[in-house]
Amino acid sequence: MHTVVLGTTGTSPADVIAVARENARVELSAEAVTALAKAREIVDALAAKPEPVYGVSTGFGALASRHISQELRAQLQRNIVRSHAAGMGPHVEREVVRALMFLRLKTVCSGHTGVRPEVAQTMADLLNAGITPVVHEYGSLGCSGDLAPLSHCALALMGEGDAYGPDGEIRPAGELLAAHGITPVELREKEGLALLNGTDGMLGMLLMAIDDLQKLYKSADITAALSLEALLGTDKVLAPELHAIRPHPGQGAAAANMLAVLEGSGLTGHHQDDAPRVQDAYSVRCAPQVAGAGRDTLAHAALVASRELASAVDNPVVLPDGRVESNGNFHGAPVAYVLDFLAIAAADLASITERRTDRLLDKNRSHGLPPFLADDAGVDSGLMIAQYTQAALVSDMKRLAVPASADSIPSSAMQEDHVSMGWSAARKLRTAVGSLARVIAIELYASTRAIELRTGLTPAPASSAAIAAARAAGVAGPGPDRFLSPDLAAAETFVRDGELLAAVEKVTGPLA
């Protein structure tokens, strides 16, 4: 099993994905343990002084003005975790919770939080044991970070609350810890606060969305190329010299991908045959421009994510010179903005994808294809309702594209009077990414059927490979009406799991 070793300087997106989705083991480096111990010495020294220090010997948020006596500080740290574990609603997905826990541990290991090495080790032990705290959908405003979700994770470290075991069953966290030989932590000064103050949930979901979208954008280039073929369009609009004079990198990459898929096609270039047209419709001709803009948005989001991965987000933080200073680094605005931006880009990609599907099904615009790609139109409805499903998904994605980060609601007696709503932005982006995979899958289903109905014309080798792989994966081809939902589910799996991309890249080589 792959092992991720955490140092003091952050981690990589690949490591986050490995821990969250592939159950990679987590270890603390000697460097991290040393940094943890040094920072803890600073906190212990401040805790022994009579002067109040926020997070060490005071209350929190709007209650920060109260000085807490030494005998009550352990109770204070327990209480902040218990009181802040106030989430409600459906349980958050396991991979999200694992990313959340791992990213909080990443920041703890930076040596800027004052958490003891044994607490950090217990966090790693929970991940390695496959224990996943129950985290609820609602509770985070994205400032101070993802408080409620992180509190549910910290609660499990204390042996309280509920968690999923490695078998997927929910049990009391204390029982699961005992079953794996893990001793619950007794939190000391600052530790409860340090386990809650971070953008880890929204960042984890951003990293996983980027990972998914990088594959989906390549898949969308493939299905756009398949639709261009099926519509007997021209690939001349994909020429590199046309995209060089508008040098957006994502646009050039999308056009190059489509051109690679279409190489050797016998279907392209027939736009002047039976039904002459000077130009293809925007949804075909402008596919690289729209997909390319989304790619550039994705690159910006990856840059923001890399900066956040390199950050130590906590309040207060322990500085190398021994100061413990309050700050606002927990505010999720940088992450929230790009989460919303990606939802907008995904919605627009889905929108142009649906327009190509609709064109394939309309006998007045499909250049010789049967109505709805039906076997016996009238007796058969073909893919009529598949397009309804696609349209419903696209409309939902447009609603999800309304930015959460433009909203704010004051909390904590107006102490936290401006919040990022980054968690909400991340949650709706996850839904949008899932919907985008389905929208692309429906275009795949329609375009491959349409190509097979173009008898007498030979598709590109990459297109043929995609069609053959889809059929082998249970994505049915042309024929009389059948129970369509299982076919669409097979197409979704084929796209989401990267099988479409793998089949095409065997012919084209790696796509951009």
Side-chain angles (χ1 to χ4, degrees):
M1 183 182 293
H2 178 56
T3 298
V4 173
V5 179
L6 278 174
T8 61
T9 56
T11 189
S12 70
D15 284 345
V16 177
I17 299 300
V19 173
R21 291 180 160 170
E22 300 161 19
N23 300 313
R25 286 186 57 80
V26 180
E27 292 181 3
L28 311 185
S29 69
E31 172 199 27
V33 173
T34 299
L36 284 159
K38 285 183 177 178
R40 187 64 209 180
E41 288 175 4
I42 294 170
V43 171
D44 286 341
L46 289 171
K49 292 182 177 181
E51 297 84 10
V53 177
Y54 177 69
V56 176
S57 53
T58 70
F60 309 113
L63 304 175
S65 59
R66 178 179 171 184
H67 182 253
I68 307 299
S69 60
Q70 200 148 9
E71 67 273 12
L72 293 176
R73 290 177 190 170
Q75 181 181 339
L76 171 71
Q77 300 300 321
R78 286 195 301 271
N79 284 353
I80 190 175
V81 172
R82 289 168 175 166
S83 65
H84 285 42
M88 294 183 72
H91 295 178
V92 173
E93 304 87 353
R94 181 178 187 270
E95 67 178 16
V96 173
V97 180
R98 285 184 62 83
L100 175 79
M101 295 167 67
F102 175 67
L103 287 168
R104 194 69 221 142
L105 177 58
K106 178 270 302 181
T107 287
V108 165
C109 286
S110 70
H112 290 293
T113 68
V115 169
R116 288 168 294 151
E118 51 265 42
V119 175
Q121 184 58 56
T122 304
M123 296 170 75
D125 291 343
L126 253 70
L127 285 165
N128 293 338
I131 297 171
T132 308
V134 170
V135 173
H136 297 274
E137 180 83 17
Y138 302 106
S140 175
L141 299 179
C143 191
S144 303
D146 294 318
L147 286 174
L150 283 163
S151 297
H152 282 275
C153 295
L155 197 66
L157 285 176
M158 294 164 47
E160 300 180 19
D162 293 326
Y164 288 91
D167 59 359
E169 296 296 320
I170 297 177
R171 293 170 59 189
E175 289 183 14
L176 286 167
L177 266 62
H180 288 85
I182 300 172
T183 302
V185 299
E186 279 283 343
L187 299 176
R188 288 170 47 180
E189 290 93 343
K190 195 183 178 302
E191 289 180 333
L193 186 61
L195 295 177
L196 315 186
N197 246 315
T199 57
D200 309 289
M202 62 184 93
L203 176 58
M205 286 185 274
L206 173 61
L207 289 165
M208 287 187 283
I210 290 170
D211 187 58
D212 292 336
L213 287 169
Q214 285 170 341
K215 300 183 184 91
L216 288 176
Y217 268 86
K218 294 178 185 180
S219 298
D221 291 339
I222 294 169
T223 58
L226 293 172
S227 290
L228 186 151
E229 268 194 299
L231 291 166
L232 304 179
T234 176
D235 58 359
K236 289 183 178 180
V237 295
L238 304 174
E241 57 269 26
L242 294 176
H243 298 278
I245 61 175
R246 195 192 190 195
H248 294 286
Q251 176 179 324
N257 285 348
M258 289 182 66
L259 206 56
V261 174
L262 293 170
E263 185 176 354
S265 174
L267 281 79
T268 57
H270 290 275
H271 61 294
Q272 295 285 14
D273 291 353
D274 295 334
R277 56 195 189 278
V278 176
Q279 298 174 321
D280 291 317
Y282 282 13
S283 60
V284 178
R285 190 176 6 135
C286 301
Q289 285 76 8
V290 173
R295 262 192 174 77
D296 292 341
T297 302
L298 199 55
H300 173 62
L303 175 62
V304 172
S306 70
R307 291 169 177 164
E308 195 73 1
L309 267 178
S311 304
V313 177
D314 192 18
N315 180 46
V317 291
V318 181
L319 296 173
D321 60 8
R323 286 180 295 147
V324 175
E325 296 285 0
S326 293
N327 65 86
N329 286 343
F330 48 72
H331 199 289
V335 182
Y337 292 167
V338 293
L339 286 162
D340 279 333
F341 203 171
L342 288 178
I344 293 169
D348 200 38
L349 181 62
S351 180
I352 197 170
T353 300
E354 182 274 332
R355 289 292 80 204
R356 289 191 296 267
T357 304
D358 181 69
R359 186 166 290 271
L360 288 167
L361 305 188
D362 184 351
K363 69 180 181 64
N364 296 313
R365 295 180 292 142
S366 67
H367 310 290
L369 291 168
F372 303 105
L373 305 181
D375 187 65
D376 184 3
V379 175
D380 294 311
S381 295
L383 306 191
M384 179 191 296
I385 308 304
Q387 185 269 330
Y388 281 36
T389 300
Q390 195 183 40
L393 287 162
V394 170
S395 289
D396 189 57
M397 289 179 70
K398 291 175 183 177
R399 292 187 290 272
L400 292 169
V402 175
S405 58
D407 186 21
S408 178
I409 190 164
S411 58
S412 193
M414 293 298 287
Q415 177 71 5
E416 298 172 7
D417 59 351
H418 184 276
V419 297
S420 76
M421 302 307 294
W423 174 272
S424 299
R427 296 305 294 165
K428 68 184 183 66
L429 177 59
R430 280 182 69 81
T431 302
V433 170
S435 295
L436 178 60
R438 297 181 186 101
V439 169
I440 293 170
I442 292 172
E443 183 180 28
L444 169 78
Y445 195 78
S447 60
T448 54
R449 177 182 284 212
I451 287 172
E452 288 184 308
L453 290 170
R454 296 285 192 192
T455 55
L457 295 171
T458 304
S463 302
S464 297
I467 294 169
R471 302 297 173 252
V475 182
D481 281 356
R482 52 185 285 161
F483 181 21
L484 203 53
S485 186
D487 285 356
L488 298 181
E492 179 190 351
T493 300
F494 184 68
V495 169
R496 189 190 62 237
D497 291 355
E499 295 175 63
L500 169 62
L501 183 58
V504 168
E505 288 188 328
K506 286 179 181 177
V507 177
T508 63
L511 296 180

